[in-house]
């Protein structure tokens, strides 16, 4: 007869798993996915390394779940920005500004989500979330097209181009090398340049 955990034990396991995920995310925020090891996580959680495997099959699965946890927050932040009052053009601008600002506010995490070399399981989720960002942008593009603000024949393709442009322009300034070489004042100047360039590039061709 198979052993069944009690509801109380299942609740404790879920709570412990969520706690471990939050600790893992904190490690990634601090040092990227390269700093996320089962040994370091076990130490942070004050538990045996082997106990982690009760919750995660391995480092790849753990990293993928951490990536999803962090990326879902970014999707929700972008969705919130795009849902503000104003024209489609104004809301797209707000979305781009929010994306760039959040990247700058947590540069190590942004680098980890956008460009850090990762396990295949994480890369699979990275592609999935790029599609999620693109779909949010595409929704606003369709609204703008319907109201005569934009001339966009293929909103989903244009949205994918926007996500690609945003990600690509952030890679250089967010890289570990750039962060090590730039002062905070220079980093803030970089943000202003990136933000204005993105807005000009992404929105300049959309206004009718």
């Amino acid at each position: 007869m198979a052993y069944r955990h009690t509801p109380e034990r299942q609740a404790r396991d879920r709570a412990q798993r969520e706690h471990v995920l939050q600790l893992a995310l904190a490690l990634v925020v601090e040092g990227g996915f390269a700093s996320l090891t089962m040994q370091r996580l076990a130490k942070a959680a004050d538990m045996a390394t082997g106990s982690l495997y009760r919750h995660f099959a391995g480092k790849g699965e753990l990293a993928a779940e951490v990536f999803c946890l962090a990326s879902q927050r970014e999707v929700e932040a972008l969705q919130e920005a795009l849902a503000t009052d104003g024209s489609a053009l104004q809301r797209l601008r707000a979305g781009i500004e929010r994306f760039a600002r959040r990247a700058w506010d947590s540069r190590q995490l942004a680098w980890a989500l956008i460009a850090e070399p990762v396990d295949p399981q994480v890369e699979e989720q990275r592609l999935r979330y790029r599609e999620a960002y693109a779909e949010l942008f595409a929704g606003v593009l369709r609204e703008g097209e319907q109201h005569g603000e934009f001339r966009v024949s293929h909103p989903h393709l244009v949205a994918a181009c926007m996500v690609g442009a945003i990600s690509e322009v952030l890679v250089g300034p967010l890289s570990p090398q750039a962060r090590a070489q730039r002062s905070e004042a220079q980093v803030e100047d970089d943000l202003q340049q990136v933000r204005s360039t993105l807005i000009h590039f992404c929105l300049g061709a959309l206004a009718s």
Side-chain angles (χ1 to χ4, degrees):
M1 180 177 178
Y3 177 76
R4 295 184 179 179
H5 292 305
T6 64
E8 291 78 10
R9 172 61 183 276
Q10 291 173 344
R12 287 197 301 271
D13 284 348
R14 286 194 297 270
Q16 185 180 57
R17 191 178 194 278
E18 180 60 29
H19 177 61
V20 169
L21 271 175
Q22 294 297 333
L23 291 174
L25 176 58
L27 290 175
V28 174
V29 169
E30 179 183 352
F33 284 102
S35 70
L36 178 60
T37 67
M38 301 300 265
Q39 291 76 17
R40 287 193 66 190
L41 180 58
K43 183 178 180 180
D46 193 24
M47 59 194 299
T49 303
S51 297
L52 292 175
Y53 292 93
R54 291 177 44 237
H55 302 293
F56 309 97
K59 164 71 182 300
E61 179 182 302
L62 168 65
E65 291 211 32
V66 172
F67 185 94
C68 291
L69 177 63
S71 294
Q72 186 58 39
R73 293 177 181 177
E74 299 308 312
V75 166
E76 291 170 1
L78 177 60
Q79 186 174 30
E80 181 182 86
L82 295 176
T84 56
D85 294 333
S87 66
L89 188 67
Q90 290 171 329
R91 288 185 287 132
L92 281 175
R93 182 188 182 100
I96 293 169
E97 290 182 335
R98 174 75 66 87
F99 201 114
R101 180 75 262 179
R102 287 179 66 84
W104 247 252
D105 287 344
S106 188
R107 295 188 288 277
Q108 177 65 70
L109 177 61
W111 166 258
L113 296 180
I114 293 172
E116 182 182 359
V118 290
D119 294 325
Q121 287 165 281
V122 178
E123 187 62 42
E124 181 180 345
Q125 296 304 320
R126 181 178 279 165
L127 294 174
R128 187 167 72 86
Y129 274 95
R130 284 172 69 97
E131 293 174 357
Y133 297 132
E135 184 53 39
L136 289 176
F137 281 125
V140 181
L141 290 174
R142 293 186 190 100
E143 291 179 31
E145 183 182 20
Q146 291 171 0
H147 292 90
E149 291 186 64
F150 309 138
R151 294 194 182 100
V152 183
S153 299
H154 304 286
H156 64 292
L157 294 179
V158 174
C161 290
M162 291 176 63
V163 172
I166 293 169
S167 299
E168 187 62 28
V169 80
L170 289 172
V171 167
L174 292 176
S175 69
Q177 296 86 349
R179 285 184 280 118
Q181 296 169 2
R182 307 286 281 175
S183 68
E184 282 302 312
Q186 290 172 320
V187 166
E188 194 63 27
D189 287 342
D190 289 342
L191 170 60
Q192 301 305 324
Q193 293 176 21
V194 165
R195 186 161 51 190
S196 62
T197 300
L198 277 173
I199 290 171
H200 177 76
F201 179 81
C202 292
L203 304 187
L206 296 177
S208 58

mmCIF file of all heavy atoms in Angstrom, residues 51-90:
data_model
loop_
_atom_site.group_PDB
_atom_site.id
_atom_site.type_symbol
_atom_site.label_atom_id
_atom_site.label_comp_id
_atom_site.label_asym_id
_atom_site.label_seq_id
_atom_site.Cartn_x
_atom_site.Cartn_y
_atom_site.Cartn_z
ATOM 1 N N SER A 51 18.060 16.963 0.976
ATOM 2 C CA SER A 51 16.651 17.271 1.221
ATOM 3 C C SER A 51 16.053 18.142 0.122
ATOM 4 O O SER A 51 14.836 18.123 -0.101
ATOM 5 C CB SER A 51 16.494 17.985 2.570
ATOM 6 O OG SER A 51 16.913 17.149 3.639
ATOM 7 N N LEU A 52 16.901 18.904 -0.575
ATOM 8 C CA LEU A 52 16.397 19.731 -1.663
ATOM 9 C C LEU A 52 15.807 18.889 -2.781
ATOM 10 O O LEU A 52 14.895 19.331 -3.484
ATOM 11 C CB LEU A 52 17.515 20.614 -2.224
ATOM 12 C CG LEU A 52 18.050 21.716 -1.312
ATOM 13 C CD1 LEU A 52 19.225 22.416 -1.977
ATOM 14 C CD2 LEU A 52 16.960 22.719 -0.977
ATOM 15 N N TYR A 53 16.343 17.686 -2.933
ATOM 16 C CA TYR A 53 15.885 16.838 -4.032
ATOM 17 C C TYR A 53 14.504 16.237 -3.769
ATOM 18 O O TYR A 53 13.939 15.586 -4.655
ATOM 19 C CB TYR A 53 16.920 15.746 -4.302
ATOM 20 C CG TYR A 53 18.207 16.313 -4.876
ATOM 21 C CD1 TYR A 53 19.263 16.651 -4.042
ATOM 22 C CD2 TYR A 53 18.341 16.543 -6.241
ATOM 23 C CE1 TYR A 53 20.441 17.198 -4.555
ATOM 24 C CE2 TYR A 53 19.511 17.081 -6.769
ATOM 25 C CZ TYR A 53 20.543 17.407 -5.916
ATOM 26 O OH TYR A 53 21.702 17.956 -6.427
ATOM 27 N N ARG A 54 13.972 16.456 -2.569
ATOM 28 C CA ARG A 54 12.575 16.100 -2.329
ATOM 29 C C ARG A 54 11.655 17.057 -3.060
ATOM 30 O O ARG A 54 10.507 16.738 -3.361
ATOM 31 C CB ARG A 54 12.255 16.146 -0.834
ATOM 32 C CG ARG A 54 12.930 15.071 -0.010
ATOM 33 C CD ARG A 54 12.632 15.207 1.473
ATOM 34 N NE ARG A 54 11.223 15.485 1.724
ATOM 35 C CZ ARG A 54 10.787 16.537 2.391
ATOM 36 N NH1 ARG A 54 11.632 17.440 2.854
ATOM 37 N NH2 ARG A 54 9.493 16.700 2.606
ATOM 38 N N HIS A 55 12.152 18.281 -3.330
ATOM 39 C CA HIS A 55 11.337 19.320 -3.958
ATOM 40 C C HIS A 55 11.688 19.562 -5.415
ATOM 41 O O HIS A 55 10.823 19.975 -6.196
ATOM 42 C CB HIS A 55 11.507 20.634 -3.187
ATOM 43 C CG HIS A 55 11.152 20.555 -1.738
ATOM 44 N ND1 HIS A 55 9.854 20.343 -1.294
ATOM 45 C CD2 HIS A 55 11.925 20.635 -0.615
ATOM 46 C CE1 HIS A 55 9.832 20.321 0.035
ATOM 47 N NE2 HIS A 55 11.067 20.498 0.463
ATOM 48 N N PHE A 56 12.948 19.322 -5.787
ATOM 49 C CA PHE A 56 13.412 19.609 -7.152
ATOM 50 C C PHE A 56 14.281 18.452 -7.639
ATOM 51 O O PHE A 56 15.145 17.960 -6.901
ATOM 52 C CB PHE A 56 14.215 20.905 -7.195
ATOM 53 C CG PHE A 56 13.513 22.073 -6.559
ATOM 54 C CD1 PHE A 56 13.788 22.443 -5.251
ATOM 55 C CD2 PHE A 56 12.550 22.778 -7.269
ATOM 56 C CE1 PHE A 56 13.131 23.507 -4.652
ATOM 57 C CE2 PHE A 56 11.881 23.845 -6.684
ATOM 58 C CZ PHE A 56 12.169 24.205 -5.369
ATOM 59 N N ALA A 57 14.050 18.045 -8.876
ATOM 60 C CA ALA A 57 14.798 16.912 -9.421
ATOM 61 C C ALA A 57 16.272 17.223 -9.583
ATOM 62 O O ALA A 57 17.106 16.318 -9.552
ATOM 63 C CB ALA A 57 14.200 16.492 -10.766
ATOM 64 N N GLY A 58 16.617 18.501 -9.758
ATOM 65 C CA GLY A 58 18.007 18.880 -9.943
ATOM 66 C C GLY A 58 18.141 20.371 -10.124
ATOM 67 O O GLY A 58 17.160 21.131 -10.055
ATOM 68 N N LYS A 59 19.362 20.816 -10.360
ATOM 69 C CA LYS A 59 19.648 22.246 -10.502
ATOM 70 C C LYS A 59 18.870 22.855 -11.676
ATOM 71 O O LYS A 59 18.374 23.975 -11.577
ATOM 72 C CB LYS A 59 21.148 22.423 -10.716
ATOM 73 C CG LYS A 59 21.596 23.786 -11.268
ATOM 74 C CD LYS A 59 21.463 24.900 -10.276
ATOM 75 C CE LYS A 59 21.876 26.247 -10.897
ATOM 76 N NZ LYS A 59 23.257 26.291 -11.372
ATOM 77 N N GLY A 60 18.757 22.125 -12.781
ATOM 78 C CA GLY A 60 18.057 22.676 -13.933
ATOM 79 C C GLY A 60 16.600 22.976 -13.639
ATOM 80 O O GLY A 60 16.085 24.047 -13.998
ATOM 81 N N GLU A 61 15.919 22.051 -12.991
ATOM 82 C CA GLU A 61 14.507 22.264 -12.653
ATOM 83 C C GLU A 61 14.360 23.411 -11.664
ATOM 84 O O GLU A 61 13.462 24.262 -11.801
ATOM 85 C CB GLU A 61 13.920 20.988 -12.052
ATOM 86 C CG GLU A 61 12.456 21.121 -11.648
ATOM 87 C CD GLU A 61 11.910 19.863 -11.012
ATOM 88 O OE1 GLU A 61 11.957 18.802 -11.682
ATOM 89 O OE2 GLU A 61 11.452 19.940 -9.852
ATOM 90 N N LEU A 62 15.232 23.456 -10.669
ATOM 91 C CA LEU A 62 15.197 24.534 -9.689
ATOM 92 C C LEU A 62 15.399 25.888 -10.363
ATOM 93 O O LEU A 62 14.630 26.831 -10.137
ATOM 94 C CB LEU A 62 16.288 24.313 -8.643
ATOM 95 C CG LEU A 62 16.580 25.482 -7.703
ATOM 96 C CD1 LEU A 62 15.371 25.781 -6.822
ATOM 97 C CD2 LEU A 62 17.804 25.192 -6.855
ATOM 98 N N ALA A 63 16.434 25.993 -11.198
ATOM 99 C CA ALA A 63 16.731 27.257 -11.863
ATOM 100 C C ALA A 63 15.576 27.693 -12.758
ATOM 101 O O ALA A 63 15.244 28.883 -12.836
ATOM 102 C CB ALA A 63 18.022 27.139 -12.670
ATOM 103 N N ALA A 64 14.948 26.727 -13.442
ATOM 104 C CA ALA A 64 13.822 27.056 -14.319
ATOM 105 C C ALA A 64 12.654 27.616 -13.513
ATOM 106 O O ALA A 64 11.985 28.567 -13.940
ATOM 107 C CB ALA A 64 13.391 25.821 -15.098
ATOM 108 N N GLU A 65 12.409 27.049 -12.340
ATOM 109 C CA GLU A 65 11.305 27.556 -11.522
ATOM 110 C C GLU A 65 11.616 28.939 -10.970
ATOM 111 O O GLU A 65 10.732 29.801 -10.879
ATOM 112 C CB GLU A 65 11.001 26.564 -10.396
ATOM 113 C CG GLU A 65 10.403 25.257 -10.888
ATOM 114 C CD GLU A 65 9.458 24.634 -9.894
ATOM 115 O OE1 GLU A 65 8.782 25.378 -9.150
ATOM 116 O OE2 GLU A 65 9.395 23.400 -9.858
ATOM 117 N N VAL A 66 12.868 29.163 -10.595
ATOM 118 C CA VAL A 66 13.260 30.491 -10.133
ATOM 119 C C VAL A 66 13.101 31.499 -11.263
ATOM 120 O O VAL A 66 12.610 32.615 -11.059
ATOM 121 C CB VAL A 66 14.713 30.481 -9.620
ATOM 122 C CG1 VAL A 66 15.198 31.899 -9.328
ATOM 123 C CG2 VAL A 66 14.821 29.617 -8.369
ATOM 124 N N PHE A 67 13.516 31.117 -12.462
ATOM 125 C CA PHE A 67 13.373 31.995 -13.618
ATOM 126 C C PHE A 67 11.904 32.348 -13.834
ATOM 127 O O PHE A 67 11.569 33.517 -14.065
ATOM 128 C CB PHE A 67 13.938 31.320 -14.867
ATOM 129 C CG PHE A 67 13.928 32.200 -16.078
ATOM 130 C CD1 PHE A 67 15.038 32.947 -16.416
ATOM 131 C CD2 PHE A 67 12.804 32.294 -16.880
ATOM 132 C CE1 PHE A 67 15.026 33.786 -17.529
ATOM 133 C CE2 PHE A 67 12.772 33.121 -17.982
ATOM 134 C CZ PHE A 67 13.890 33.860 -18.310
ATOM 135 N N CYS A 68 11.034 31.363 -13.764
ATOM 136 C CA CYS A 68 9.602 31.613 -13.958
ATOM 137 C C CYS A 68 9.050 32.531 -12.875
ATOM 138 O O CYS A 68 8.235 33.421 -13.158
ATOM 139 C CB CYS A 68 8.835 30.294 -13.963
ATOM 140 S SG CYS A 68 9.155 29.251 -15.405
ATOM 141 N N LEU A 69 9.486 32.318 -11.643
ATOM 142 C CA LEU A 69 9.015 33.145 -10.535
ATOM 143 C C LEU A 69 9.387 34.607 -10.770
ATOM 144 O O LEU A 69 8.543 35.511 -10.639
ATOM 145 C CB LEU A 69 9.635 32.647 -9.228
ATOM 146 C CG LEU A 69 9.328 33.437 -7.955
ATOM 147 C CD1 LEU A 69 7.840 33.410 -7.646
ATOM 148 C CD2 LEU A 69 10.125 32.873 -6.781
ATOM 149 N N ALA A 70 10.644 34.855 -11.135
ATOM 150 C CA ALA A 70 11.098 36.224 -11.361
ATOM 151 C C ALA A 70 10.474 36.820 -12.614
ATOM 152 O O ALA A 70 10.053 37.983 -12.629
ATOM 153 C CB ALA A 70 12.619 36.256 -11.458
ATOM 154 N N SER A 71 10.397 36.035 -13.678
ATOM 155 C CA SER A 71 9.880 36.545 -14.950
ATOM 156 C C SER A 71 8.396 36.853 -14.872
ATOM 157 O O SER A 71 7.921 37.819 -15.489
ATOM 158 C CB SER A 71 10.144 35.533 -16.066
ATOM 159 O OG SER A 71 11.529 35.396 -16.302
ATOM 160 N N GLN A 72 7.658 36.050 -14.119
ATOM 161 C CA GLN A 72 6.223 36.314 -13.997
ATOM 162 C C GLN A 72 5.975 37.657 -13.337
ATOM 163 O O GLN A 72 5.039 38.381 -13.700
ATOM 164 C CB GLN A 72 5.552 35.192 -13.199
ATOM 165 C CG GLN A 72 4.032 35.304 -13.142
ATOM 166 C CD GLN A 72 3.385 35.301 -14.528
ATOM 167 O OE1 GLN A 72 3.827 34.574 -15.412
ATOM 168 N NE2 GLN A 72 2.356 36.107 -14.711
ATOM 169 N N ARG A 73 6.823 38.027 -12.403
ATOM 170 C CA ARG A 73 6.693 39.347 -11.781
ATOM 171 C C ARG A 73 6.920 40.453 -12.801
ATOM 172 O O ARG A 73 6.240 41.478 -12.777
ATOM 173 C CB ARG A 73 7.699 39.477 -10.633
ATOM 174 C CG ARG A 73 7.419 38.558 -9.445
ATOM 175 C CD ARG A 73 8.491 38.705 -8.383
ATOM 176 N NE ARG A 73 8.241 37.807 -7.255
ATOM 177 C CZ ARG A 73 9.048 37.682 -6.203
ATOM 178 N NH1 ARG A 73 10.147 38.427 -6.145
ATOM 179 N NH2 ARG A 73 8.763 36.843 -5.229
ATOM 180 N N GLU A 74 7.873 40.235 -13.715
ATOM 181 C CA GLU A 74 8.151 41.239 -14.737
ATOM 182 C C GLU A 74 6.998 41.330 -15.738
ATOM 183 O O GLU A 74 6.650 42.422 -16.203
ATOM 184 C CB GLU A 74 9.466 40.918 -15.457
ATOM 185 C CG GLU A 74 10.680 40.895 -14.547
ATOM 186 C CD GLU A 74 10.791 42.151 -13.706
ATOM 187 O OE1 GLU A 74 10.668 43.269 -14.258
ATOM 188 O OE2 GLU A 74 10.983 42.024 -12.481
ATOM 189 N N VAL A 75 6.427 40.197 -16.086
ATOM 190 C CA VAL A 75 5.268 40.194 -16.978
ATOM 191 C C VAL A 75 4.120 40.962 -16.348
ATOM 192 O O VAL A 75 3.451 41.778 -17.000
ATOM 193 C CB VAL A 75 4.840 38.745 -17.301
ATOM 194 C CG1 VAL A 75 3.452 38.709 -17.945
ATOM 195 C CG2 VAL A 75 5.852 38.077 -18.230
ATOM 196 N N GLU A 76 3.882 40.735 -15.067
ATOM 197 C CA GLU A 76 2.785 41.423 -14.382
ATOM 198 C C GLU A 76 3.054 42.918 -14.276
ATOM 199 O O GLU A 76 2.125 43.733 -14.391
ATOM 200 C CB GLU A 76 2.582 40.801 -12.999
ATOM 201 C CG GLU A 76 2.022 39.383 -13.075
ATOM 202 C CD GLU A 76 2.042 38.655 -11.745
ATOM 203 O OE1 GLU A 76 2.491 39.260 -10.734
ATOM 204 O OE2 GLU A 76 1.615 37.483 -11.700
ATOM 205 N N ALA A 77 4.323 43.299 -14.072
ATOM 206 C CA ALA A 77 4.660 44.723 -14.010
ATOM 207 C C ALA A 77 4.444 45.387 -15.365
ATOM 208 O O ALA A 77 3.932 46.512 -15.453
ATOM 209 C CB ALA A 77 6.108 44.894 -13.556
ATOM 210 N N LEU A 78 4.832 44.697 -16.435
ATOM 211 C CA LEU A 78 4.618 45.234 -17.775
ATOM 212 C C LEU A 78 3.133 45.314 -18.085
ATOM 213 O O LEU A 78 2.658 46.323 -18.642
ATOM 214 C CB LEU A 78 5.325 44.361 -18.811
ATOM 215 C CG LEU A 78 5.138 44.768 -20.273
ATOM 216 C CD1 LEU A 78 5.657 46.175 -20.526
ATOM 217 C CD2 LEU A 78 5.834 43.765 -21.199
ATOM 218 N N GLN A 79 2.396 44.297 -17.721
ATOM 219 C CA GLN A 79 0.947 44.293 -17.955
ATOM 220 C C GLN A 79 0.283 45.461 -17.235
ATOM 221 O O GLN A 79 -0.601 46.130 -17.789
ATOM 222 C CB GLN A 79 0.359 42.970 -17.456
ATOM 223 C CG GLN A 79 -1.112 42.778 -17.771
ATOM 224 C CD GLN A 79 -1.586 41.388 -17.368
ATOM 225 O OE1 GLN A 79 -1.077 40.789 -16.424
ATOM 226 N NE2 GLN A 79 -2.547 40.863 -18.088
ATOM 227 N N GLU A 80 0.720 45.734 -16.032
ATOM 228 C CA GLU A 80 0.181 46.857 -15.266
ATOM 229 C C GLU A 80 0.479 48.181 -15.955
ATOM 230 O O GLU A 80 -0.390 49.058 -16.054
ATOM 231 C CB GLU A 80 0.774 46.844 -13.859
ATOM 232 C CG GLU A 80 0.285 47.954 -12.953
ATOM 233 C CD GLU A 80 0.955 47.899 -11.600
ATOM 234 O OE1 GLU A 80 2.062 48.472 -11.450
ATOM 235 O OE2 GLU A 80 0.395 47.268 -10.684
ATOM 236 N N ALA A 81 1.713 48.335 -16.453
ATOM 237 C CA ALA A 81 2.091 49.578 -17.129
ATOM 238 C C ALA A 81 1.299 49.776 -18.413
ATOM 239 O O ALA A 81 0.891 50.893 -18.737
ATOM 240 C CB ALA A 81 3.588 49.580 -17.427
ATOM 241 N N LEU A 82 1.076 48.701 -19.140
ATOM 242 C CA LEU A 82 0.355 48.789 -20.405
ATOM 243 C C LEU A 82 -1.146 48.986 -20.211
ATOM 244 O O LEU A 82 -1.848 49.318 -21.169
ATOM 245 C CB LEU A 82 0.601 47.531 -21.240
ATOM 246 C CG LEU A 82 2.042 47.309 -21.718
ATOM 247 C CD1 LEU A 82 2.158 45.975 -22.450
ATOM 248 C CD2 LEU A 82 2.503 48.448 -22.620
ATOM 249 N N ALA A 83 -1.627 48.770 -18.999
ATOM 250 C CA ALA A 83 -3.059 48.899 -18.720
ATOM 251 C C ALA A 83 -3.429 50.265 -18.148
ATOM 252 O O ALA A 83 -4.575 50.488 -17.765
ATOM 253 C CB ALA A 83 -3.507 47.802 -17.761
ATOM 254 N N THR A 84 -2.461 51.176 -18.075
ATOM 255 C CA THR A 84 -2.752 52.503 -17.542
ATOM 256 C C THR A 84 -3.629 53.293 -18.503
ATOM 257 O O THR A 84 -3.824 52.905 -19.653
ATOM 258 C CB THR A 84 -1.447 53.277 -17.284
ATOM 259 O OG1 THR A 84 -0.690 53.327 -18.504
ATOM 260 C CG2 THR A 84 -0.625 52.611 -16.206
ATOM 261 N N ASP A 85 -4.156 54.429 -18.025
ATOM 262 C CA ASP A 85 -4.973 55.290 -18.884
ATOM 263 C C ASP A 85 -4.100 55.948 -19.947
ATOM 264 O O ASP A 85 -2.910 56.127 -19.779
ATOM 265 C CB ASP A 85 -5.660 56.368 -18.046
ATOM 266 C CG ASP A 85 -6.675 55.782 -17.078
ATOM 267 O OD1 ASP A 85 -7.221 54.702 -17.374
ATOM 268 O OD2 ASP A 85 -6.896 56.403 -16.015
ATOM 269 N N GLY A 86 -4.736 56.313 -21.048
ATOM 270 C CA GLY A 86 -4.025 57.013 -22.107
ATOM 271 C C GLY A 86 -4.155 56.312 -23.439
ATOM 272 O O GLY A 86 -4.761 55.232 -23.553
ATOM 273 N N SER A 87 -3.578 56.915 -24.444
ATOM 274 C CA SER A 87 -3.617 56.338 -25.783
ATOM 275 C C SER A 87 -2.720 55.101 -25.840
ATOM 276 O O SER A 87 -1.912 54.851 -24.937
ATOM 277 C CB SER A 87 -3.133 57.366 -26.802
ATOM 278 O OG SER A 87 -1.750 57.651 -26.599
ATOM 279 N N ALA A 88 -2.846 54.343 -26.924
ATOM 280 C CA ALA A 88 -1.989 53.171 -27.099
ATOM 281 C C ALA A 88 -0.522 53.583 -27.144
ATOM 282 O O ALA A 88 0.349 52.907 -26.585
ATOM 283 C CB ALA A 88 -2.381 52.423 -28.374
ATOM 284 N N LEU A 89 -0.246 54.700 -27.796
ATOM 285 C CA LEU A 89 1.131 55.187 -27.882
ATOM 286 C C LEU A 89 1.673 55.533 -26.502
ATOM 287 O O LEU A 89 2.810 55.182 -26.157
ATOM 288 C CB LEU A 89 1.196 56.412 -28.796
ATOM 289 C CG LEU A 89 2.601 56.920 -29.148
ATOM 290 C CD1 LEU A 89 3.329 55.913 -30.021
ATOM 291 C CD2 LEU A 89 2.515 58.267 -29.858
ATOM 292 N N GLN A 90 0.867 56.189 -25.696
ATOM 293 C CA GLN A 90 1.290 56.553 -24.348
ATOM 294 C C GLN A 90 1.516 55.317 -23.485
ATOM 295 O O GLN A 90 2.452 55.254 -22.688
ATOM 296 C CB GLN A 90 0.239 57.455 -23.708
ATOM 297 C CG GLN A 90 0.167 58.846 -24.316
ATOM 298 C CD GLN A 90 -1.024 59.643 -23.822
ATOM 299 O OE1 GLN A 90 -2.084 59.077 -23.497
ATOM 300 N NE2 GLN A 90 -0.876 60.959 -23.754
#
